[in-house]
Amino acid sequence: MVQSLISRIWESLLRLLLQRITLVLTLMLCAAIAIAISNMSALSSSLIESQAVQNAALNVQSLTQAFDLYSAAAADRAKLVPGVTVTHAYLNTKGAIPLPSTFAIELGEQISEKNTEMSVRLYSNYPYPWRTTGGAKDEFERDALNFLRENPRQKFYRLEKQNGNTTLRYAQASLMKPSCVTCHNTDINSPKKNWEVGDVAGAWEISQSLDNLVTKTNQSLQGTFAMLGGMSVLGLSGLTLVVGKLRENTRSLEHRVRERTTDLAEANTELEKRNELIRQVFGRYLSDTVVANLLESPERLKLGGERRKITILTSDLRGFTSLSERFPPEEVIHILNLYLEYMADVINHYQGTIDEFMGDGILVLFGAPIAKEDDALRAVTCACAMQLAMGGVNEKMKTLGWPPLEMGIGINTGEVIVGNIGSEKRTKYGIVGSQVNLTYRIESYTSGGQILISEQTFKEVGSSVRIIGQKQVQPKGVSQEITIYEVYGVGGRYNLYLPKEEELFFPVPQEIPLLYTILHDKQMGNPVFSGRLVKLSTKGAELQVDIPNVIPPKLTNIKINLFTSKNSTQVSEDIYAKVLEKLAGRGSFYIHFTAVPPTLLTQFNNLYQIISQ
């Protein structure tokens, strides 16, 4: 019974469809057209939103680059210029320039005033007291700050209705840089004084009206909608024609979408070209100063050089090569990158140009590409700051299970050839000349923690630099002796001093027999000498030779092997050290360890704890 009823209903529906085929086809055609219009509208809305979000992200990127460039190239440098003040009230202060945050806020206000369809705003949870509108002013800004504080690398946006207009509000985090952290944590007016690098300082917001984009898109689609409406009316006269027209129209729509996509791709390509130029500059020069210089004058990318007097700084870790052979390559690279990151931050702070990383060595220029009157003084101050930064490096070393690292620094001032060296495919901003080699020779005389400068640099820096000693040396390739000076600090406005630690040598309970070899340019020489370790300090030892008249020259490097026991012929792993100028008794000399194997270092430390009680 039920089955028969279902069959009759089905037959009735089929007859109705056959009788009203035109109406059915018309309805199907209208439904298809409505779906097509809906899809086009959805696609258009999606493209509009995507384009608006992408434009906002690009605007924030440009604002951030302008903020970073102003902070590094103007504000940080202006702080070093006498008579120039960096303040929020710069309009009322003679010789003042705005703070980076003030510059950013006023830049956003000017953009907003000159662009009726877009506004820019920078705000924070911790505005300074004088910024009456610096905090979040509505729910979106509060939500944005809360979200970005938890997700600093993501973006936050929302479509809102404002005065009857559809507006995209886009927010992106403004992160704390090292120089900003120092300023905010020390300013008495700062509402927060425990900032750290990478903290979310605030948010950039781009508000952009979408009505014009929607209007333009609707205008471009009105003809299409009218055409589809006409097609629905003519559908009864020829379904085949309508279907063909729909296919043609679909292809036309796809072509328009591709054109819009192509336009967006071209805009992105132009932006990528600009960013690629910046990346190329960074990859070739690795210095903010050089980057700013080249962006202002791109013609300086040409190959060539000039003769110029500059101050050269070179640093090197003592015994790092031999020490790194005992650890996995991945761990060595991690440690090296950590050390270089600390040093690079210090060098950039004192406006040095990092010319090259050579393993654990660094070559830094002061006076190229931009020369300043205080190049030599900043170089010496930078060296002091680098030695002080080794404290932070060694704290990290301790947590990673590495022994502490020591660094020597040599500084020299003289004329060199400086410029772009290489080919059109690969270029390096570098220096050439005998003064470069002399700098390396001066650095080779250092022991761990020392800073040695040439006589020419000493004359350039004046009385601000504090000296604890000088010595006459004759480096390889130099025809006569030169004077080099040991630095322990810089006074005046920098006020940086290295800690003074008196090194105490204590006699060991039982002399340790050993063999040692003098190294010439890091190559072992002959013959092998015998002696004994008779005294020990925290960083060195006193050795007594078996042949009293054979004492290695001062400041030379030696390799030492200890006998494992008094009557044994087995020797320890290699120990590397530098002969000190400290006077010892006849047949004795003092050394400073530059590389000690971890097992021997532990034994030395334990022995020193016992004998120093």
Side-chain angles (χ1 to χ4, degrees), residues 500-516:
K500 290 184 178 180
E501 298 179 0
E502 183 180 359
E503 191 170 5
L504 302 177
F505 292 82
F506 296 95
V508 297
Q510 185 176 359
E511 296 180 351
I512 304 174
L514 55 84
L515 299 175
Y516 70 89

Side-chain angles (χ1 to χ4, degrees), residues 512-533:
I512 304 174
L514 55 84
L515 299 175
Y516 70 89
T517 305
I518 298 176
L519 301 178
H520 300 285
D521 290 332
K522 299 187 179 180
Q523 301 295 323
M524 287 188 296
N526 287 310
V528 177
F529 301 96
S530 60
R532 300 171 305 284
L533 190 152

Side-chain angles (χ1 to χ4, degrees), residues 233-248:
V233 174
L234 297 175
L236 292 176
S237 63
L239 183 60
T240 303
L241 179 61
V242 171
V243 171
K245 194 65 176 177
L246 282 174
R247 289 177 178 174
E248 179 183 349

Side-chain angles (χ1 to χ4, degrees), residues 94-105:
K94 182 178 181 181
I97 64 172
L99 288 167
S101 55
T102 303
F103 165 80
I105 291 171

Side-chain angles (χ1 to χ4, degrees), residues 211-255:
D211 286 347
N212 284 342
L213 287 174
V214 172
T215 301
K216 291 179 181 178
T217 303
N218 289 338
Q219 288 175 352
S220 65
L221 292 177
Q222 282 178 357
T224 301
F225 294 161
M227 183 173 56
L228 291 176
M231 288 171 57
S232 65
V233 174
L234 297 175
L236 292 176
S237 63
L239 183 60
T240 303
L241 179 61
V242 171
V243 171
K245 194 65 176 177
L246 282 174
R247 289 177 178 174
E248 179 183 349
N249 189 58
T250 300
R251 287 193 294 269
S252 176
L253 289 175
E254 291 176 348
H255 179 67

Side-chain angles (χ1 to χ4, degrees), residues 412 433-445 472-482 484 519-523 554-557:
N412 178 38
S434 61
Q435 297 299 325
V436 184
N437 297 330
L438 179 57
T439 308
Y440 283 114
R441 296 296 181 188
I442 293 172
E443 186 274 327
S444 70
Y445 290 114
Q472 298 290 322
V473 296
Q474 186 168 359
K476 182 179 178 180
V478 179
S479 59
Q480 57 186 4
E481 286 189 341
I482 64 171
I484 56 178
L519 301 178
H520 300 285
D521 290 332
K522 299 187 179 180
Q523 301 295 323
K554 297 175 181 178
L555 302 179
T556 57
N557 297 306

Side-chain angles (χ1 to χ4, degrees), residues 241-429:
L241 179 61
V242 171
V243 171
K245 194 65 176 177
L246 282 174
R247 289 177 178 174
E248 179 183 349
N249 189 58
T250 300
R251 287 193 294 269
S252 176
L253 289 175
E254 291 176 348
H255 179 67
R256 294 183 186 183
V257 171
R258 284 196 296 270
E259 286 181 342
R260 293 287 300 275
T261 305
T262 301
D263 292 339
L264 289 174
E266 290 176 354
N268 289 337
T269 301
E270 289 300 319
L271 181 63
E272 283 297 325
K273 287 181 179 179
R274 185 179 64 180
N275 291 339
E276 183 63 24
L277 172 62
I278 296 175
R279 286 194 294 270
Q280 288 176 355
V281 173
F282 270 108
R284 292 167 65 181
Y285 291 88
L286 303 175
S287 167
D288 290 343
T289 303
V290 177
V291 170
N293 194 32
L294 290 175
L295 289 178
E296 293 174 1
S297 305
E299 66 275 4
R300 296 188 181 182
L301 284 168
K302 296 179 180 179
L303 296 176
E306 60 178 331
R307 185 177 298 276
R308 180 186 295 184
K309 185 173 81 169
I310 67 171
T311 297
I312 309 162
L313 180 153
T314 181
S315 69
D316 187 59
L317 290 178
R318 290 292 168 264
F320 184 81
T321 301
S322 61
L323 185 64
S324 63
E325 294 173 354
R326 300 181 175 89
F327 292 87
E330 298 81 3
E331 189 172 347
V332 173
I333 292 299
H334 175 68
I335 295 300
L336 191 57
N337 288 340
L338 177 67
Y339 155 73
L340 293 177
E341 181 179 3
Y342 268 83
M343 296 302 107
D345 287 343
V346 174
I347 293 167
N348 288 334
H349 179 73
Y350 290 98
Q351 303 170 43
T353 299
I354 300 175
D355 181 71
E356 193 170 4
F357 290 132
M358 301 159 292
D360 59 312
I362 310 174
L363 179 63
V364 187
L365 315 180
F366 290 84
I370 300 175
K372 299 182 179 180
E373 293 183 357
D374 63 341
D375 287 329
L377 181 59
R378 281 187 293 107
V380 177
T381 307
C382 178
C384 294
M386 290 170 67
Q387 291 290 15
L388 293 174
M390 288 300 294
V393 173
N394 284 326
E395 285 294 327
K396 296 286 187 180
M397 298 301 100
K398 185 177 181 180
T399 61
L400 296 173
W402 272 58
L405 302 176
E406 290 189 318
M407 175 178 63
I409 299 178
I411 302 176
N412 178 38
T413 302
E415 280 197 350
V416 296
I417 303 297
V418 58
N420 298 315
I421 304 169
S423 67
E424 293 295 335
K425 293 183 178 179
R426 180 61 181 172
T427 305
K428 174 182 177 296
Y429 187 82

